[in-house]
Amino acid sequence: MEKRNGLRVILFPLPLQGCINPMLQLANILHSRGFSITVIHTRFNAPRSSSHPLFTFLQIPDGLSETQINDDPTSNVMSLLAQINRNAESPFRDCLQNLLLQSQESERISCLIDDCGWLFTQSVAESLNLPRIVLCTFKATFLNAYPILPLLRTQGYLPDSDSKAGDSVLEFPPLQKRDLSRVFGENGEKLDPFVHAIVDTTMRSSGIIFMSCEELEKDSLALANEIFKVPIFAIGPFHSYFSASSSSLFTQDETCIPWLDKQEDKSVIYVSLGSVVNITESEFLEIACGLSNSKQPFLWVVRPGLVLGAQWIEPLSEGLVRSLEEKGKIVKWAPQQEVLAHRAIGGFLTHNGWNSTLESICEGVPMICLPGGWDQMLNSRFVSDVWRVGIHLEGRIERKEIEKAVRILMVESEGERIRERMKVLKEEVGRSVKHGGSSFRSIETLANHILSL
């Protein structure tokens, strides 16, 4: 452990699993470079401070009711985040102001680092003369499209016929027109003020940190610098330095590891749709039947609340549950990084959140892409069409399509070719975090930037 450098960094994660994990991994990276760490967080989805004894944690009220705190938040994430953005500004300002007043000459507060999804933090930081650095938890390619997203939605880019659905979106490659409706979801024009605010506050920041690397999107990182006109730091994949397991908001079922130990090498398909995606009961049944019919061993994460209108797996008949248990294992949550690194895992059926996509690449596990929406659509296109390390289901949640994709990936020659390409990509990304690699160098640049603020 390097000695302290006399500077403290304040971190403020967005209260979602996929945002908390990267922020705490970043905290570990900065702490290893000598910075002291304070994490401000909301009451909703509060991180487990006991897992990070070297950091200081401060909770602020978020204005949510007990019902909202305890209910499954995944049914309307955008509405929940909008409400927290409205409620948390004043408590956050008070907390940050007190920290600045209490800071000592021996340990100066250097900057604030928070998620780009916070809409008020730039103004608060400016009013307190504190530099703010933005953490972007998705691809630089996606953030670069924020200035044009409202245009894509309003200027007739959504396909008006199935024949045009596969057309490329020239302003937003490699997306296809069919992807745009899933990017915007049901929110439509409600997203426009949110997107505009993120562009504005990011342009006024002191820099952007991406959990990516030049090996994955060199051109996009250079373009981000041109668009936002602030320093860019691509220091990912974060989990290559520090695991996210200790920051999980869900209780992990560790029994899946001994179960994997009993399986043959690269024989198991791992299935997880992340911490936010929801599916219908009929889609759930199609996935179940597809996995059962594939005859391949599988480890399936069914998060409580994943299936709309159900608590857990009760939509499955007793007969189907017995059939599934013959070849696979169903758990409520899994230590994903440990699972993907296991010798028995041969494929990953994923929603293609950026965290999951990076973790799969770093372990050399090819993917079956079943994106839910937002940036997942872009990630899945890169996986299937650019890097060619996975199979895109194109939104077809049908048992025959699931079975076909699993068998192609796990037992057919095309799956082996995909696996070879993934091996090359894994090696390229792996070099970025080693001494002298692009991400390694960018961490040093970031540390020096914070020291200069």
Side-chain angles (χ1 to χ4, degrees), residues 165-177:
D167 290 355
S168 298
V169 182
L170 299 181
E171 296 85 351
F172 198 0
L175 281 188
Q176 297 178 7
K177 288 188 175 180

Side-chain angles (χ1 to χ4, degrees), residues 239 266 340-343 345-348 356-367 389 409 415-416 418-427 429-430:
H239 76 278
K266 297 192 180 344
L340 288 171
H342 198 284
R343 58 162 184 79
I345 297 297
F348 183 13
S356 292
T357 301
L358 281 176
E359 289 166 8
S360 200
I361 290 171
C362 288
E363 298 303 337
V365 178
M367 289 167 262
V389 293
L409 194 63
E416 191 56 40
I418 292 173
R419 205 173 307 280
E420 285 299 314
R421 290 192 290 269
M422 178 59 95
K423 181 181 178 182
V424 174
L425 186 61
K426 172 189 175 180
E427 291 171 352
V429 174

Side-chain angles (χ1 to χ4, degrees), residues 50-301:
S50 59
S51 300
H52 306 275
L54 298 176
F55 306 157
T56 300
F57 287 80
L58 298 173
Q59 179 172 289
I60 61 172
D62 48 36
L64 299 185
S65 66
E66 288 299 325
T67 301
Q68 289 172 303
I69 293 290
N70 296 323
D71 284 355
D72 175 32
T74 61
S75 58
N76 200 338
V77 172
M78 291 302 298
S79 176
L80 186 71
L81 292 182
Q83 187 173 349
I84 296 176
N85 259 298
R86 290 192 298 269
N87 297 339
E89 180 173 358
S90 182
F92 176 77
R93 179 187 295 275
D94 292 343
C95 182
L96 194 56
Q97 196 163 25
N98 287 335
L99 285 171
L100 289 168
L101 289 172
Q102 295 166 10
S103 64
Q104 303 171 352
E105 287 295 324
S106 60
E107 191 177 64
R108 178 175 64 86
I109 294 176
S110 175
C111 67
L112 165 70
I113 300 178
D114 67 74
D115 195 285
C116 67
W118 288 120
L119 305 184
F120 59 82
T121 50
Q122 183 64 37
S123 295
V124 170
E126 287 171 352
S127 71
L128 298 173
N129 294 315
L130 184 66
R132 172 192 177 233
I133 299 176
V134 173
L135 171 61
C136 181
T137 57
F138 42 81
K139 279 175 67 64
T141 310
F142 195 69
L143 185 66
N144 290 346
Y146 267 43
I148 65 167
L149 281 181
L151 177 69
L152 293 178
R153 186 185 57 75
T154 59
Q155 299 299 315
Y157 284 81
L158 298 180
D160 53 13
S161 67
D162 289 341
S163 64
K164 294 184 179 180
D167 290 355
S168 298
V169 182
L170 299 181
E171 296 85 351
F172 198 0
L175 281 188
Q176 297 178 7
K177 288 188 175 180
R178 78 176 93 219
D179 301 328
L180 290 179
S181 60
R182 298 277 296 282
V183 169
F184 299 114
E186 299 176 355
N187 296 289
E189 64 185 21
K190 294 179 181 178
L191 285 172
D192 289 358
F194 175 76
V195 169
H196 285 310
I198 289 178
V199 172
D200 173 63
T201 55
T202 302
M203 285 181 169
R204 288 155 49 196
S205 73
S206 297
I208 310 173
I209 301 171
F210 288 107
M211 42 188 279
S212 187
C213 60
E214 291 184 5
E215 285 71 10
L216 290 175
E217 44 179 352
K218 185 175 183 179
D219 292 343
S220 293
L221 291 166
L223 182 59
N225 184 262
E226 294 179 18
I227 292 173
F228 296 98
K229 296 178 173 40
V230 296
I232 301 297
F233 308 97
I235 66 172
F238 291 5
H239 76 278
S240 296
Y241 304 97
F242 293 96
S243 169
S245 59
S246 60
S247 58
S248 175
L249 297 173
F250 303 98
T251 301
Q252 298 175 148
D253 189 336
E254 301 290 345
T255 65
C256 58
I257 301 303
W259 182 84
L260 286 172
D261 290 340
K262 299 175 183 177
Q263 311 304 315
E264 296 181 6
D265 289 0
K266 297 192 180 344
S267 66
V268 177
I269 181 80
Y270 172 55
V271 184
S272 177
L273 300 182
S275 60
V276 172
V277 169
N278 292 113
I279 58 176
T280 65
E281 184 174 312
S282 62
E283 290 171 337
F284 180 56
L285 292 172
E286 291 298 307
I287 294 173
C289 291
L291 291 174
S292 177
N293 295 342
S294 75
K295 307 301 181 184
Q296 287 295 126
F298 63 86
L299 173 62
W300 188 8
V301 173

